């Protein structure tokens, strides 16, 4: 929120300088994000009045002006502005003035000079030349009553400072200049000037029929008719200036008045064109299919969860968010209806996000606006309308105030002992009462207990901790003692049988992968297609329509990263993510790290696409394949020995996918992307992916001492013939099933498949459905050298096991 310091000091003017006020607000929780002067430094610029303006004798676009600057004589100034004319008052930079730097960054010096042969004794300035705005359409025209010769900084109050506050959602009562002043008064003890709005004289008895059909949407609706106004009246310069310093451009007088009261008092309001309302107004929930063209030009479709204001024919406004175009005031408007209402915060919250825009009104109403002052604020708006847009025929109707369902304040109790414990320093009951009283909160006392009934503008005071926060803010955070922790802070020691997550990150980085960090919110389509999850965890209020569910797999996020990089011409992508996934699980209970009904395990996933290596001369170019990524998974899990079994996964190729097993448990999957998803993502080749449970990856065997055998190992090669359908995993399983204590290792080092010869016979003495596998057995014992009998026995038992389990025969 942005506002000028001068406006703040009109309500509360403590004996502090600008920086001290900023520090006071920041230390009280109202963070001053930025302090910026209204105008950059410049000097010797005064109010000048053009007394004469004639055509330049040597230039068609220049005029020679005689300007009165209150110095006893007229200055001869050459000016090229299109609006330079007799009678207007404008900023005049005198000779010797130094204007703000231009595009070159150097200050602009005003010197006595000649333009096309005519002497110019100064310069008439635009708002852009003084760095007051970007308007460069002509000279900055000042008010007709501006004192000639007055310093322009004094006349326009350019030594003012703009405050920009970054407010947390619980500080809705500070979303106005008066609200900030109320806080400043409580913090400094400076008196607060509370505005009082006298009722406007009522000249007619007419009321607009209004029905509040949804008390859970609108608790109070106030409004009045004002007839015979001049909507073409110009907004006063002081109001335009204040709105500009709040970051709001001037639109029309009526719109400016509504915005001004919003910034002044925090009350969003709306002004309807009375003649465009058909019948009366109905405040209700929307009906599915109803449409409304808004003031911003967008046409939206509402439903039963969106509040509206409708007349007898159509929807005219989004409740608490934005008015409709159909009843907007225009230059032809003669009669208006002024509305100020209390909208329940929950009925407004999140509605703007549905339509992909936000408004100042919605921002305030979804946090809470005082329901008690709708009538007083309508009186303020009405008085401004009469003062600015009034005509001799302007008349005002009575205020129609309907209080349907007002908030009922609930007392909040603060225990002084509890406050001292939470704040971390001794506080007395007198300190607590003083702090809460300074904030304007009604307080009742008992022994050690203080009770507050929150005022209507404090929606944030609901529990004891809210009052403790108020006491801490008023006592001063800077007064909190620097108390070291009572107990030593010792990190939890990691088990020796586990490694840290950062070790996994470093190892994947060493394998050539780059880490990505993605949202846990994903598209529902990803869950259905890539994870096979038909019932994902849905978000009640997603930040975007395409991020509506919680992910149960990391693969969708990695594919999105791949597509993003490929769209930017990346030829080789290797990425990984280490993050949390989410499942519904009724067996999970609440704890310090879990939420009842939801399982949230950690996983690590990776993706490889493109060439195996970057371009180089030492090896031929080859695309990454299943076995490359399988090797990366083995390296990541080493020294554990995973088992890979053929499997199916919704995201992966049904014939090129394997499950990863560790200690009899499936720890994840590795495989190529499914062809239909590859086609859907328009990928030139299939990426290879893996996803593993992080707990399994972190597990490590505790190292144990083992002597190295002093005796030489023996190696024996066997060639067996098996059916083509027999897998490598089945062969290795059969070899290990012997339980031979001498067997140290078994490695497949050759595969031979027969070829069909020209005469139709099969080479190698094998059948067409057979293959030959060459396996090297490594045999050893620690206490002695192996004998031939032991070696032959081990080989024989291995061959017998292969024959029994996979039907193998020696070749």
């Amino acid at each position: 929120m942005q506002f000028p310091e001068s406006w703040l000091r009109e309500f509360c003017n403590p004996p502090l300088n600008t920086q001290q006020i900023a520090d006071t607000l920041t230390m009280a929780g109202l963070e001053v994000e930025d302090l910026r002067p209204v105008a950059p430094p410049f000097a010797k610029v005064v109010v000048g009045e053009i007394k004469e303006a004639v055509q330049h004798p040597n230039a068609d676009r220049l005029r020679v002006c005689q300007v009165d600057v209150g110095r006893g004589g007229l200055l001869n100034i050459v000016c090229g502005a299109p609006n330079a004319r007799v009678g207007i008052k404008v900023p005049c930079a005198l000779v010797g003035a130094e204007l703000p730097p231009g595009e070159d960054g150097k200050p602009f010096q005003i010197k006595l000079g000649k333009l096309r042969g005519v002497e110019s004794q100064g310069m008439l300035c635009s708002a852009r030349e003084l760095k007051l705005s970007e308007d460069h359409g002509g000279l900055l025209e000042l008010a007709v009553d501006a004192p000639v010769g007055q310093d322009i900084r004094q006349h326009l109050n350019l030594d003012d400072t703009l405050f920009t506050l970054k407010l947390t959602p619980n500080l809705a009562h500070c979303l106005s200049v008066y609200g900030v002043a109320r806080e400043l008064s409580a913090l400094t003890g400076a008196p607060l000037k509370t505005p009082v709005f006298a009722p406007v004289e009522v000249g007619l008895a007419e009321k607009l029929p209004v029905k509040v059909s949804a008390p859970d949407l609108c608790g109070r609706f106030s409004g009045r008719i004002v007839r015979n106004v001049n909507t073409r009246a110009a907004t006063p310069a002081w109001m335009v200036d204040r709105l500009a310093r709040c970051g709001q451009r001037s639109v029309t007088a009526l719109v400016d008045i509504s915005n001004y009261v919003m910034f002044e008092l925090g009350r969003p309001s709306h002004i309807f064109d009375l003649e465009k309302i058909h019948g009366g107004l109905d405040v209700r929930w929307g009906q599915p299919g109803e449409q409304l063209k808004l003031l911003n030009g967008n046409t939206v479709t509402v439903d039963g969860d969106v509040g509206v204001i409708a007349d007898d024919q159509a929807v005219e406004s989004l409740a608490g968010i934005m008015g409709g175009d159909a009843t907007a005031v225009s230059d032809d408007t003669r009669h208006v209806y002024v509305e100020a209402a209390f909208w329940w915060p929950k009925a407004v919250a999140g509605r703007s996000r549905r339509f992909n825009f936000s408004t100042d009104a919605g921002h305030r109403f979804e946090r809470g606006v005082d329901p008690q002052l709708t009538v007083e604020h309508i009186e303020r708006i009405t008085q401004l309308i009469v003062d600015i847009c009034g005509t001799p025929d302007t008349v005002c109707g009575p205020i129609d105030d309907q209080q349907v369902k007002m908030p009922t304040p609930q007392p909040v109790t603060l225990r002084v002992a509890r406050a001292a414990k939470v704040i971390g320093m001794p506080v007395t009951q007198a300190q607590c009462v003083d702090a809460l009283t300074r904030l304007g909160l009604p307080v009742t006392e008992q022994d050690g207990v203080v009770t507050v009934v929150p005022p209507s503008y404090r929606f944030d005071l609901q529990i004891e901790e809210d009052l403790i926060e108020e006491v801490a803010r008023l006592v001063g955070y800077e007064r909190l003692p620097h108390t070291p922790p009572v107990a030593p802070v010792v990190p939890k020691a990691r088990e020796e049988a586990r490694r840290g997550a950062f070790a996994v990150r470093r190892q994947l980085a060493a394998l050539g992968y780059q880490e990505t960090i993605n949202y846990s919110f994903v598209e529902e389509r990803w869950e259905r297609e890539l994870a096979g999850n038909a019932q994902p965890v849905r978000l009640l209020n997603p930040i975007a329509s395409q991020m509506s569910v919680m992910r149960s797999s990391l693969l969708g996020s990695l594919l999105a990263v791949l597509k993003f990089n490929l769209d930017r011409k990346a030829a080789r992508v290797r990425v990984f993510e280490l993050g949390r996934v989410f499942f519904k699980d009724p067996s999970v209970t609440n704890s310090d790290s879990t939420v009842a009904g939801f399982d949230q395990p950690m996983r690590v996933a990776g993706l490889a696409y493109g060439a195996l290596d970057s371009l180089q001369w030492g090896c031929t170019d080859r695309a990454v394949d299943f076995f490359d990524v399988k090797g990366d998974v083995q390296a990541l899990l080493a020294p554990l020995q995973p088992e890979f079994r053929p499997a199916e996964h919704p995201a992966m190729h049904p014939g090129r996918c394997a499950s990863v097993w560790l200690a009899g448990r499936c720890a994840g999957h590795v495989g190529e992307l499914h062809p239909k998803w590859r086609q859907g993502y328009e990928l030139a080749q299939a990426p290879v992916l893996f996803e593993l449970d992080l707990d399994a990856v972190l597990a490590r065997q505790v190292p144990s001492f083992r002597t190295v055998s002093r005796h030489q190992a023996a190696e024996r090669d066997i060639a067996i013939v098996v059916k083509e359908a027999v897998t490598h995993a089945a062969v290795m399983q059969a070899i290990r099933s012997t339980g031979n204590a001498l067997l140290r290792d078994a490695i497949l080092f050759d595969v031979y498949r027969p070829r069909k010869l020209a005469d139709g016979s099969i080479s190698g003495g094998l059948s067409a459905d057979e293959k030959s596998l060459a396996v090297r057995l490594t045999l050893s014992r620690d206490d002695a050298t192996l004998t031939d009998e032991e070696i032959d026995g081990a080989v024989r038992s291995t061959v017998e096991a292969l024959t029994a389990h996979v039907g193998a025969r020696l070749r």
Side-chain angles (χ1 to χ4, degrees):
M1 186 182 115
Q2 179 179 300
F3 58 86
E5 179 185 357
S6 57
W7 199 359
L8 176 66
R9 288 188 181 272
E10 286 188 7
F11 291 113
C12 179
N13 190 13
L16 304 175
N17 61 35
T18 302
Q19 189 60 54
Q20 289 173 329
I21 290 178
D23 293 342
T24 300
L25 293 175
T26 298
M27 290 306 299
L30 284 71
E31 181 186 352
V32 178
E33 192 175 32
D34 186 32
L35 284 177
R36 181 164 49 89
V38 169
F42 58 81
K44 299 189 71 174
V45 181
V46 300
V47 177
E49 182 179 1
I50 300 178
K51 294 294 188 180
E52 180 182 330
V54 298
Q55 186 65 43
H56 192 290
N58 301 320
D60 294 337
R61 296 187 179 182
L62 298 179
R63 299 174 71 82
V64 180
C65 302
Q66 301 296 314
V67 183
D68 181 10
V69 294
R71 301 294 174 92
L74 300 181
L75 299 182
N76 192 71
I77 299 178
V78 179
C79 179
N83 63 333
R85 64 187 186 277
V86 174
I88 65 170
K89 294 180 179 178
V90 296
C92 178
L94 306 177
V95 173
E98 188 175 275
L99 299 187
E103 295 181 357
D104 59 357
K106 298 179 181 179
F108 185 67
Q109 300 282 346
I110 303 299
K111 301 177 182 178
L112 186 65
K114 288 187 178 183
L115 289 176
R116 294 292 184 92
V118 177
E119 185 177 66
S120 184
Q121 299 170 328
M123 174 180 169
L124 303 183
C125 303
S126 68
R128 185 176 180 183
E129 287 161 341
L130 296 178
K131 294 291 188 279
L132 302 182
S133 74
E134 291 302 314
D135 183 13
H136 196 49
L139 301 176
L140 174 60
E141 298 189 28
L142 306 175
V144 293
D145 59 349
V148 173
Q150 186 181 35
D151 190 292
I152 199 70
R153 299 192 72 89
Q154 179 183 354
H155 176 68
L156 296 179
N157 192 21
L158 299 182
D159 292 322
D160 203 355
T161 302
L162 299 182
F163 279 65
T164 301
L165 267 58
K166 184 178 180 181
L167 299 176
T168 51
N170 65 316
L171 295 174
H173 59 287
C174 297
L175 285 169
S176 66
V177 179
Y178 178 72
V180 176
R182 183 169 49 203
E183 287 288 309
L184 186 61
S185 174
L187 294 167
T188 63
L192 176 67
K193 181 181 178 182
T194 303
V196 178
F197 309 118
V200 176
E201 181 181 354
V202 176
L204 71 161
E206 182 182 5
K207 290 184 179 180
L208 181 70
V210 175
K211 178 175 67 173
V212 180
S213 302
D216 55 340
L217 166 67
C218 177
R220 184 176 187 179
F221 194 94
S222 307
R224 81 168 354 146
I225 293 172
V226 182
R227 289 193 175 274
N228 303 316
V229 297
N230 176 21
T231 55
R232 302 191 181 193
T235 305
W238 61 268
M239 182 177 286
V240 173
D241 180 64
R242 279 194 171 171
L243 288 173
R245 296 184 185 188
C246 290
Q248 179 71 48
R249 66 180 180 86
S250 174
V251 183
T252 64
L254 288 176
V255 175
D256 291 347
I257 289 170
S258 178
N259 287 334
Y260 182 84
V261 173
M262 179 179 68
F263 287 116
E264 180 184 41
L265 304 172
R267 166 73 59 189
S269 60
H270 189 60
I271 301 177
F272 295 84
D273 186 326
L274 182 63
E275 294 180 307
K276 295 178 181 178
I277 299 176
H278 304 91
L281 295 179
D282 186 9
V283 182
R284 57 175 173 80
W285 293 105
Q287 298 174 1
E290 287 186 317
Q291 291 190 331
L292 169 65
K293 184 178 181 181
L294 299 171
L295 290 173
N296 61 7
N298 294 345
T299 299
V300 299
T301 302
V302 302
D303 56 24
D305 292 330
V306 179
V308 300
I309 302 175
D311 62 14
D312 294 347
Q313 294 186 5
V315 175
E316 302 297 351
S317 176
L318 280 184
I321 298 174
M322 184 180 289
D325 181 69
T327 54
V329 294
S330 65
D331 289 347
D332 298 324
T333 299
R334 295 174 52 248
H335 314 301
V336 298
Y337 180 74
V338 182
E339 165 263 312
F342 165 66
W343 307 100
W344 289 98
K346 290 184 179 179
V348 179
R351 272 56 174 190
S352 297
R353 204 175 300 122
R354 285 189 178 190
F355 306 116
N356 296 322
F357 67 85
S358 62
T359 63
D360 288 330
H363 183 77
R364 286 164 171 79
F365 278 125
E366 67 184 6
R367 286 160 173 77
V369 176
D370 190 352
Q372 294 293 342
L373 298 178
T374 57
V375 171
E376 289 79 355
H377 293 170
I378 285 183
E379 294 289 1
R380 171 62 166 162
I381 295 170
T382 307
Q383 187 61 62
L384 289 172
I385 292 175
V386 172
D387 292 343
I388 297 172
C389 303
T391 68
D393 299 324
T394 299
V395 288
C396 303
I399 294 180
D400 178 22
D401 182 28
Q402 300 188 41
Q403 300 186 33
V404 184
K405 183 183 177 183
M406 297 288 283
T408 303
Q410 299 297 323
V412 183
T413 300
L414 178 146
R415 295 164 291 173
V416 177
R418 169 69 174 164
K421 182 177 180 181
V422 172
I423 295 173
M425 64 178 287
V427 290
T428 64
Q429 184 165 330
Q431 284 179 298
C432 295
V433 171
D434 175 66
L436 299 175
T437 304
R438 284 159 57 190
L439 287 167
L441 306 179
V443 176
T444 56
E445 295 185 65
Q446 295 177 354
D447 186 20
V449 176
V450 177
T451 302
V452 169
V453 179
S456 56
Y457 58 87
R458 292 303 299 267
F459 287 81
D460 59 311
L461 301 181
Q462 299 178 0
I463 59 177
E464 183 178 28
E465 281 70 16
D466 295 330
L467 294 182
I468 295 174
E469 179 187 1
E470 298 303 296
V471 172
R473 290 198 308 121
L474 270 292
V475 169
Y477 293 129
E478 68 278 5
R479 295 181 57 187
L480 294 178
H482 297 281
T483 307
V486 176
V489 179
V490 180
K492 185 178 179 180
R494 189 169 59 244
E495 298 177 12
E496 191 177 1
R498 289 176 64 85
R499 60 175 171 174
F502 278 99
V504 176
R505 290 184 170 96
R506 285 191 291 269
Q507 186 167 359
L508 283 168
L511 290 170
Y513 291 82
Q514 292 181 311
E515 184 176 10
T516 66
I517 300 175
N518 301 291
Y519 282 112
S520 297
F521 319 133
V522 298
E523 291 188 47
E524 185 175 357
R525 178 175 61 86
W526 294 1
E527 284 297 293
R528 186 174 59 254
E529 296 176 352
L530 301 175
N533 185 8
Q535 297 295 327
V537 179
R538 297 184 182 277
L539 297 173
L540 293 178
N541 190 19
I543 61 175
S545 59
Q546 72 275 16
M547 305 172 78
S548 58
V549 300
M550 303 294 288
R551 64 185 179 184
S552 63
S553 171
L554 305 180
L555 299 181
S557 300
L558 293 183
L559 285 171
V561 172
L562 170 65
K563 193 68 171 67
F564 181 88
N565 283 273
L566 293 181
D567 290 344
R568 284 149 185 81
K569 307 303 179 184
R572 181 177 181 271
V573 178
R574 297 172 76 92
V575 293
F576 78 93
E577 181 177 7
L578 195 152
R580 199 172 295 279
V581 294
F582 305 85
F583 300 91
K584 295 178 181 179
D585 187 349
S587 66
V588 178
T589 58
N590 274 322
S591 72
D592 58 348
S593 60
T594 60
V595 177
F598 299 96
D599 187 21
Q600 306 175 62
M602 293 288 290
R603 288 190 181 171
V604 58
L607 177 149
Y609 177 92
L612 177 62
D613 294 303
S614 56
L615 187 64
Q616 58 172 301
W617 64 270
C619 62
T620 58
D621 189 18
R622 179 173 70 82
V624 66
D625 61 21
F626 170 86
F627 297 101
D628 296 316
V629 177
K630 174 175 174 282
D632 291 338
V633 171
Q634 289 176 306
L636 182 63
L637 295 174
L640 300 179
Q641 295 293 325
E643 179 186 354
F644 294 88
R645 302 179 186 176
E648 291 187 1
H649 188 281
M652 297 180 184
H653 193 299
R656 299 175 185 175
C657 170
S659 56
V660 183
W661 290 76
L662 286 168
R665 182 173 75 92
C666 181
H669 291 80
V670 57
E672 280 189 10
L673 182 66
H674 198 290
K676 62 182 177 181
W677 309 139
R678 171 187 167 185
Q679 183 179 5
Y681 280 92
E682 299 179 351
L683 302 176
Q685 67 183 67
V688 187
L689 314 99
F690 69 85
E691 184 171 24
L692 306 170
D693 291 333
L694 184 62
D695 283 344
V697 178
L698 298 182
R700 279 293 172 270
Q701 296 173 344
V702 178
S704 59
F705 174 76
R706 183 177 178 184
T707 60
V708 178
S709 176
R710 296 175 177 270
H711 305 281
Q712 183 175 357
E715 294 181 346
R716 292 293 184 269
D717 295 343
I718 60 174
I720 58 174
V721 177
V722 296
K723 294 293 185 181
E724 180 64 39
V726 175
T727 64
H728 170 263
V731 171
M732 293 296 116
Q733 179 65 28
I735 294 174
R736 286 193 292 268
S737 68
T738 62
N740 195 321
L742 303 180
L743 183 64
R744 296 290 182 262
D745 195 10
I747 297 176
L748 175 68
F749 67 90
D750 186 48
V751 178
Y752 173 77
R753 288 182 173 88
R755 300 191 306 275
K756 187 173 183 180
L757 302 177
D759 59 1
S761 61
I762 304 299
S763 66
L766 304 179
S767 302
D769 62 343
E770 292 181 328
K771 60 184 175 182
S772 173
L773 306 179
V775 179
R776 177 162 295 170
L777 306 177
T778 302
L779 307 169
S780 175
R781 58 187 296 176
D782 296 335
D783 56 346
T785 302
L786 291 176
T787 65
D788 290 340
E789 290 78 9
E790 290 174 323
I791 295 173
D792 292 340
V795 172
R796 190 181 312 110
S797 65
T798 301
V799 173
E800 290 172 355
L802 288 168
T803 302
H805 289 85
V806 297
R809 72 175 190 273
L810 284 176
R811 186 178 177 187

